[in-house]
Each structure stands twice: as C-alpha cells, then as structure tokens.
C-alpha cells in the first residue's frame, strides 16, 4: 500500500497541486477510482484516490460540497479534480470543506 504523498511523487503526477488537506498526505491509498457518476460513494471501498472532472456535479456547488462530505465519510484518501472543460477553477468553499474534513 502507498500513501497519497508517494502517489503524487510519480513523475506523471508531479504537476498536480495540493490545494487542500495537506495534513492527509500520509493517508494510505488502496484503490484508484475515476468518478463518472454522481453516486460514486457506493463504489468506494475506503482508502480511495478519486479522480474526477466533476462533470456529474459541474453545475451544482452544493452537490460538490456534499461530495466532499460523502468522500470523507467513506474514508476516501484523496480527490484529484481536473480543472478546465467542466470546472474552470475550484471554488474556495470546496477547498475549505476539504480542509475541514481532512481530504487531500
């Protein structure tokens, strides 16, 4: 098993920026999951590294914040959000909630 910090040191992922949850970099990662559906939580097993463009919740900030809570409740280790096409930038309220919940 590896940690979030170890995954982020992989050469292909070194350009990723940690913008929240720095205290969780030592969390273990057992699974990598791509989020394509809004009910992603039912597919998680714990210690997940979730990758998403937030497409499933792109137009609903409240649902994005709820997603942070749901992921934290299922012991998700990390949420990687690809910005650009669907979400131009990550709202500060998401960053604040991720920090509050300890989600990298």
């Amino acid at each position: 098993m590896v940690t979030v910090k170890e995954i982020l040191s992989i050469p292909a992922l070194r350009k990723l920026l940690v913008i929240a949850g720095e205290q969780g970099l030592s969390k273990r990662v057992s699974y990598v999951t791509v989020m394509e559906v809004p009910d992603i939580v039912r597919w998680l097993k714990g210690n997940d590294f979730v990758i998403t463009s937030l497409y499933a919740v792109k137009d609903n900030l409240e649902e994005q914040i709820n997603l942070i809570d749901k992921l934290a409740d299922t012991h998700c280790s990390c949420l990687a959000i690809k910005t650009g096409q669907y979400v131009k930038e990550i709202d500060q309220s998401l960053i604040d909630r991720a920090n509050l919940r300890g989600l990298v």
Side-chain angles (χ1 to χ4, degrees):
M1 201 171 324
V2 299
T3 65
V4 173
K5 185 175 183 176
E6 290 170 327
I7 288 177
L8 296 177
S9 71
I10 294 171
L13 301 178
R14 285 192 184 145
K15 291 183 181 180
L16 293 179
L17 300 175
V18 176
I19 62 169
E22 289 86 1
Q23 73 274 22
L25 289 173
S26 63
K27 287 184 178 182
R28 297 182 319 175
V29 175
S30 300
Y31 307 96
V32 175
T33 305
V34 175
M35 179 183 165
E36 295 182 358
V37 294
D39 63 341
I40 185 68
V41 173
R42 65 186 252 191
W43 304 104
L44 302 181
K45 299 177 183 176
N47 298 326
D48 297 273
F49 187 110
V50 176
I51 302 167
T52 183
S53 65
L54 291 179
Y55 177 77
V57 293
K58 66 180 172 56
D59 297 320
N60 191 328
L61 181 58
E62 185 176 330
E63 280 302 310
Q64 293 173 22
I65 293 169
N66 288 337
L67 175 65
I68 298 293
D69 287 332
K70 290 175 186 176
L71 293 175
D73 289 345
T74 60
H75 305 287
C76 179
S77 298
C78 181
L79 175 64
I81 301 171
K82 181 181 180 189
T83 55
Q85 186 172 0
Y86 302 112
V87 174
K88 300 295 182 205
E89 59 184 47
I90 300 169
D91 191 275
Q92 185 62 45
S93 60
L94 285 178
I95 296 168
D96 294 343
R97 184 61 61 102
N99 277 323
L100 179 69
R101 297 301 308 267
L103 185 64
V104 179

